[in-house]
Amino acid sequence: MDRLNVVLDKTNLTPEDLLFLMKLENSDDLARLYERAYSVKEKNVGKKAYYRGLIEFSNVCIRDCTYCGIRKTSPQERFTMTKEEIMSMAHWAHKNQYGSVTLQSGERQDAEFEAFVADIINTIKKETDLGITLCLGEQSLETYQKWFDCGAHRYLLRIETSNADLYKKIHPMIETSSGANTFEERVTCLDNLRKIGYQVGTGVMIGLPSQTEEDLVNDLIFFKKQDVDMIGMGPYAVHKDTPMGQEVLSHGLDSDAEKERRFLLGLKMIAIARLYLKDVNIAATTALQALDPFGREKGLKAGANILMPIITLKEHRRKYQLYDNKPCIDDDQDHCKQCLTGRVRSVGDEVGFGEWGDSPHFSGNAS
Ligand code: 5AD
């Protein structure tokens, strides 16, 4: 038997196995990896894709992350939606049987923001039976607790990279109310979210400058160590008005071949995460589609089971560009729903309409 077969048949993968899989290049080998990951997905979480309608409600941000198009110092026009606008999207999601919504925005830590989000969560819970995922960055334990008490039950906070040196390089220091924005601080936030009782998600960007395959293996080991329930990760995509984007472009590192490399690494990460962590929810993120027109379908085929269709009102979409060529920014929600549902069915999955689709990993831990 060849080594790939031996590794794919293992129940517990070692760091060496993970690295071996991460370095696979040959297209037949990759096809075997994805196929096995898809069957592990089928067995552990089913062949169903759950929707989290993504509401990107503000691009105001106190952080200056070097890769991100809405970083504080970018020349971007800023917006924050009104409560009425956000509620109209939540109602649209509910009417269209999306089981859950994700509230995402730039990071703010002021009291007004905390109260605004709490009011939105309360109102969504009162007027719909949607599940709520938050993706609102680092906050104090008290703020996380308050939003949980209002009814949010999942929280996604990416570690971005588990390599602490690289983390430091791409996250310039700023003063925050919860302390310095260090790698350790981010891990503390993840621990706090778990303590409170959220279903916790994290993730990384894949294919960052100077990031190695060993780093990516360590990311997977980090996910396991943190015992996360959900993973949202995707390839790095250039935003030309950011320091990282400019560096990458000036070194000629955004060629089609480079994009293809980052995309493939993204798919491999999904597949290996599925083999290694088995029963967690894994998102096929929009960034996959920014690099390949069929990116999200390929993500589902490689083991992902969550999609985050953008339901942000069309007039605001252009102002929430974390990276260039973000797909779907000229589409409206109805178009996105039809398009995506066709994409899900094309790979043989069905959509979990009207279901929350919580991570079986979380339910398993709770029982
Ligand atoms: N490429 C890919 N992903 C990005 N994000 C931010 N900027 C980029 C980029 N240029 C991701 C980060 C963040 C999430 C909301 O978007 O991982 O956590």
Side-chain angles (χ1 to χ4, degrees):
M1 244 207 274
D2 67 357
R3 180 165 179 201
L4 180 54
N5 262 340
V6 175
V7 171
L8 290 178
D9 280 343
K10 280 188 168 183
T11 326
N12 294 310
L13 297 170
T14 64
E16 293 72 35
D17 296 332
L18 297 174
L19 190 60
F20 166 74
L21 293 172
M22 201 68 75
K23 286 181 186 281
L24 291 179
E25 298 262 322
N26 170 299
S27 57
D28 289 342
D29 291 347
L30 288 172
R32 282 159 70 196
L33 169 68
Y34 302 149
E35 226 170 84
R36 184 59 66 97
Y38 190 77
S39 74
V40 171
K41 155 177 152 172
E42 185 174 1
K43 197 160 132 217
N44 288 275
V45 298
K47 283 171 56 166
K48 242 188 208 180
Y50 297 99
Y51 286 174
R52 316 278 184 238
L54 182 59
I55 302 178
E56 303 153 322
F57 66 86
S58 172
N59 64 358
V60 177
C61 191
I62 59 169
R63 303 248 169 203
D64 219 14
C65 311
T66 62
Y67 46 85
C68 183
I70 65 165
R71 66 200 298 262
K72 183 178 171 202
T73 55
S74 90
Q76 181 75 55
E77 181 196 336
R78 302 289 158 171
F79 76 95
T80 300
M81 291 181 193
T82 61
K83 178 178 176 185
E84 289 65 38
E85 285 178 311
I86 300 173
M87 284 312 301
S88 79
M89 288 177 274
H91 282 297
W92 182 92
H94 189 227
K95 200 176 99 214
N96 283 276
Q97 293 212 294
Y98 282 22
S100 302
V101 285
T102 298
L103 295 174
Q104 188 181 94
S105 75
E107 190 169 311
R108 277 175 58 187
Q109 298 181 334
D110 53 286
E112 194 190 328
F113 183 71
E114 186 200 75
F116 179 72
V117 172
D119 182 38
I120 300 287
I121 300 170
N122 277 328
T123 313
I124 293 177
K125 291 313 274 186
K126 204 166 87 207
E127 297 182 6
T128 75
D129 56 7
L130 289 166
I132 301 180
T133 305
L134 300 180
C135 187
L136 304 171
E138 291 184 24
Q139 303 290 339
S140 67
L141 180 75
E142 293 72 30
T143 303
Y144 285 150
Q145 182 72 55
K146 178 164 185 180
W147 292 342
F148 184 76
D149 294 341
C150 292
H153 79 294
R154 309 187 193 104
Y155 204 105
L156 190 57
L157 178 67
R158 290 189 178 181
I159 190 73
E160 311 297 357
T161 170
S162 66
N163 176 331
D165 291 333
L166 180 56
Y167 184 95
K168 194 168 167 195
K169 232 167 75 191
I170 64 181
H171 297 106
M173 282 302 252
I174 52 152
E175 288 297 318
T176 70
S177 57
S178 54
N181 55 323
T182 57
F183 179 79
E184 291 72 27
E185 183 74 24
R186 177 90 35 131
V187 177
T188 303
C189 285
L190 286 169
D191 292 339
N192 285 343
L193 290 163
R194 156 78 66 229
K195 260 186 245 153
I196 291 169
Y198 280 98
Q199 290 176 40
V200 181
T202 193
V204 292
M205 284 177 293
I206 302 158
L208 291 165
S210 88
Q211 188 185 40
T212 63
E213 281 149 339
E214 284 77 8
D215 287 331
L216 294 172
V217 165
N218 287 331
D219 292 342
L220 294 170
I221 295 170
F222 176 87
F223 301 159
K224 184 147 197 152
K225 191 177 122 254
Q226 285 293 130
D227 195 24
V228 293
D229 307 301
M230 327 181 292
I231 295 173
M233 59 186 172
Y236 165 67
V238 163
H239 189 296
K240 60 182 178 331
D241 296 329
T242 58
M244 186 184 290
Q246 279 165 10
E247 187 199 313
V248 166
L249 288 170
S250 73
H251 289 92
L253 290 174
D254 204 35
S255 59
D256 287 348
E258 266 302 305
K259 286 186 194 157
E260 165 89 7
R261 185 187 73 84
R262 294 201 298 267
F263 176 74
L264 272 183
L265 268 181
L267 280 189
K268 277 194 263 186
M269 276 291 272
I270 290 178
I272 304 170
R274 177 57 71 203
L275 292 178
Y276 187 47
L277 303 168
K278 300 187 178 62
D279 60 355
V280 297
N281 278 348
I282 303 178
T285 54
T286 316
L288 277 177
Q289 202 185 322
L291 297 180
D292 182 304
F294 296 104
R296 285 188 287 189
E297 290 90 317
K298 291 180 184 171
L300 294 176
K301 273 297 202 196
N305 68 323
I306 300 290
L307 292 170
M308 300 172 75
I310 301 171
I311 61 170
T312 306
L313 297 171
K314 199 172 164 185
E315 60 265 35
H316 292 303
R317 289 188 180 203
R318 286 204 164 271
K319 289 173 268 172
Y320 201 88
Q321 283 207 63
L322 306 180
Y323 43 81
D324 296 331
N325 305 317
K326 191 172 161 196
C328 317
I329 52 172
D330 290 322
D331 300 336
D332 62 25
Q333 307 98 299
D334 294 294
H335 176 86
C336 280
K337 180 185 178 193
Q338 271 185 354
C339 162
L340 208 57
T341 304
R343 286 169 184 261
V344 172
R345 294 189 176 137
S346 76
V347 305
D349 286 0
E350 56 171 312
V351 182
F353 279 119
E355 297 175 57
W356 278 12
D358 281 336
S359 160
H361 183 78
F362 182 82
S363 333
N365 274 349
S367 58

